Amino acid sequence: MEKILVVVTNSSRLGKKGKKTGLWLRELTDFYHEVKDRYAIDIISTSAERVPIDPRSLVAAVVHKQTRDYYMDDDFMVQLKKPLVPAQVTAEDYAAIYFTGGHGTMMDFPDNEELQALTQQIYEQGGYVTAVCHGPSGLQNVRLSNGRLLIAGHVVTGFSDMEEKTMGMYRHIPFSLEQVLKERGGLFKRASVPMAACTVQSGRLITGQNPASAKGVALKLLDQLPAAREV
């Protein structure tokens, strides 16, 4: 069975005021649920410490049965209690990499050189690079071996400025993800209505705008991976 590498944040604080944050749980579980029966999954983080979960995302663990089932599943949650780190995995083992979201990613994803190297290697060996919501912050500084930025010239999406303002988070974020993706040469696309699902595929790069888009990222990836295996 081919494998998918899932990346989660290990940052529990956001910005200068240290607003509490972490992984947005459903962006992990919605994706995981769609791909788990066809691909083995490894979860890595920027630290081997327990993965912090954004407390606002735990509402879904109360009102959404699928999220709740994963949250109550000890075998699943142990992967967040004791995550792997980049040094413990090898890019050649993976058909795709998926960057989950949560505001914590804005703190520990952008400048992590080990994650950048894994992403470059997976992409250049013919794999897929995928991300949702704030997860594309892990792609913004990835360069290919020819020096070109990975996202340059690609249609991409991510958590928009309008959504940050709607959630009251714009004053807390260390940078505008939407603006940075544009500055890196990405052609930014967003849903006409904040928090509505929006998933974009551009070659072997698949991105989703917000939590509602995680399942769509998984489904687009599943549509592509069988064809990739036959090449």
Side-chain angles (χ1 to χ4, degrees):
M1 179 184 285
E2 288 185 335
K3 301 171 74 174
I4 295 174
L5 186 62
V6 173
V7 190
V8 297
T9 183
N10 215 283
S11 180
S12 63
R13 298 290 173 179
L14 177 69
K16 294 180 179 179
K17 294 185 178 181
K19 188 173 180 64
K20 196 166 185 179
T21 185
L23 164 70
W24 198 269
L25 182 62
R26 193 168 171 181
E27 292 173 7
L28 168 61
T29 58
D30 279 7
F31 179 92
Y32 188 99
H33 187 76
E34 296 301 324
V35 304
K36 66 181 177 62
D37 293 332
R38 288 173 56 182
Y39 296 91
I41 301 164
D42 288 332
I43 298 177
I44 63 169
S45 189
T46 54
S47 167
E49 296 180 4
R50 184 184 184 122
V51 173
I53 298 175
D54 192 307
R56 294 167 302 168
S57 77
L58 290 177
V59 173
V62 177
V63 301
H64 187 254
K65 184 180 184 303
Q66 179 177 292
T67 308
R68 181 169 66 251
D69 288 347
Y70 279 109
Y71 188 64
M72 299 297 292
D73 184 339
D74 290 340
D75 290 337
F76 174 79
M77 291 300 294
V78 73
Q79 299 174 89
L80 301 183
K81 293 175 181 177
K82 298 179 180 179
L84 299 173
V85 294
Q88 293 176 279
V89 300
T90 303
E92 64 187 19
D93 294 334
Y94 300 97
I97 186 169
Y98 171 65
F99 286 82
T100 61
H103 279 93
T105 65
M106 303 183 85
M107 303 300 292
D108 62 349
F109 278 9
D111 298 317
N112 189 291
E113 294 182 355
E114 291 179 302
L115 290 180
Q116 292 173 23
L118 281 170
T119 304
Q120 175 207 335
Q121 292 161 16
I122 290 171
Y123 186 80
E124 292 190 335
Q125 70 192 19
Y128 280 74
V129 173
T130 68
V132 73
C133 201
H134 293 90
S137 64
L139 309 182
Q140 66 190 49
N141 293 323
V142 176
R143 289 188 181 274
L144 303 179
S145 56
N146 62 8
R148 176 178 174 273
L149 285 165
L150 169 65
I151 64 173
H154 282 284
V155 181
V156 295
T157 191
F159 208 62
S160 68
D161 287 348
M162 184 178 295
E163 288 168 322
E164 297 285 13
K165 293 171 183 176
T166 299
M167 289 188 66
M169 294 297 291
Y170 196 77
R171 67 185 184 277
H172 297 289
I173 56 177
F175 56 88
S176 161
L177 179 60
E178 177 178 338
Q179 297 306 316
V180 167
L181 293 178
K182 290 176 180 177
E183 291 167 3
R184 299 297 194 271
L187 306 173
F188 192 85
K189 180 178 180 179
R190 59 178 176 269
S192 57
V193 178
M195 306 308 294
C198 175
T199 308
V200 177
Q201 179 176 353
S202 183
R204 286 182 286 107
L205 181 61
I206 302 171
T207 50
Q209 182 176 330
N210 46 39
S213 308
K215 179 178 179 178
V217 172
L219 294 178
K220 281 187 181 295
L221 178 61
L222 289 176
D223 283 344
Q224 298 302 311
L225 282 180
R229 287 202 302 271
E230 293 169 5
V231 173

